Amino acid sequence: MNVTTKIFGDIEIDDDKIITFPKGIVGFPELTDFALLHDSEKGSDSIHWLQSLQEPAFAMPVMDPLIVCPDYNPEVDDELLKHLGELDEEEILVLVTVTVPKDLTKMSVNLKGPVIVNAGKKTAAQVIIEGDEYQVKFPIYDILNENKKKAGE
């Protein structure tokens, strides 16, 4: 499949790389088909993009939450994930959305609304975590800088 995107220009996506969100994503229930893109030229290796295949202008920056919150382990109601098919621990990928404002020092991730991907079946869901253990705007700028310093040592 060929897609013309706002951020990446013309790209080709193999059918086996398409991730389906049967219920869409929060705020955009009509967007169900995405590809996870990695672009080291457009910034950090830790930030990836969930690119909509239905709306070329829509791409969400996402990352592995363990990079910025090593003890991240939210409880997700099995009912919210049952439409993803049989979940094998080895096949689960958890991502969180990244907010990148003009002032990069205010960069944050949404730990309250993770994206759960069943990598084996290429299905996914964005869920909302109950309770107040995790923040919607968890600041990550200082953490990423600290990680970068440690990697350079």
Side-chain angles (χ1 to χ4, degrees), residues 7-152:
I7 295 175
F8 301 99
D10 292 334
I11 56 172
E12 187 172 329
I13 305 290
D14 293 335
D15 287 348
D16 67 340
K17 301 288 187 205
I18 296 172
I19 300 170
T20 303
F21 285 70
K23 297 184 177 189
I25 58 171
V26 174
F28 300 91
E30 72 284 2
L31 299 181
T32 56
D33 295 334
F34 288 82
L36 186 60
L37 303 178
H38 314 275
D39 189 355
S40 52
E41 291 176 23
K42 293 208 185 297
S44 143
D45 287 338
S46 55
I47 296 180
H48 309 294
W49 299 85
L50 265 179
Q51 171 66 56
S52 169
L53 301 181
Q54 291 141 314
E55 178 51 59
F58 187 89
M60 284 192 314
V62 294
M63 71 184 309
D64 177 346
L66 298 179
I67 292 172
V68 293
C69 185
D71 59 350
Y72 186 67
N73 189 19
E75 281 190 35
V76 178
D77 186 342
D78 290 342
E79 191 66 26
L80 297 174
L81 302 177
K82 75 177 187 188
H83 64 282
L84 299 184
E86 187 72 31
L87 289 172
D88 175 352
E89 251 183 68
E90 300 292 315
E91 298 284 333
I92 295 175
L93 174 64
V94 178
L95 300 167
V96 290
T97 57
V98 181
T99 301
V100 185
K102 285 186 180 179
D103 179 354
L104 291 181
T105 64
K106 305 236 184 298
M107 192 177 347
S108 64
V109 292
N110 179 354
L111 296 178
K112 199 151 180 75
V115 172
I116 313 294
V117 180
N118 181 339
K121 297 211 183 300
K122 303 286 187 281
T123 56
Q126 185 175 23
V127 298
I128 305 300
I129 305 302
E130 296 295 323
D132 56 9
E133 183 178 356
Y134 295 109
Q135 298 174 30
V136 171
K137 290 189 175 284
F138 180 76
I140 63 170
Y141 181 81
D142 291 338
I143 297 168
L144 290 176
N145 275 341
E146 192 60 37
N147 289 349
K148 203 181 287 185
K149 285 179 192 170
K150 286 178 187 173

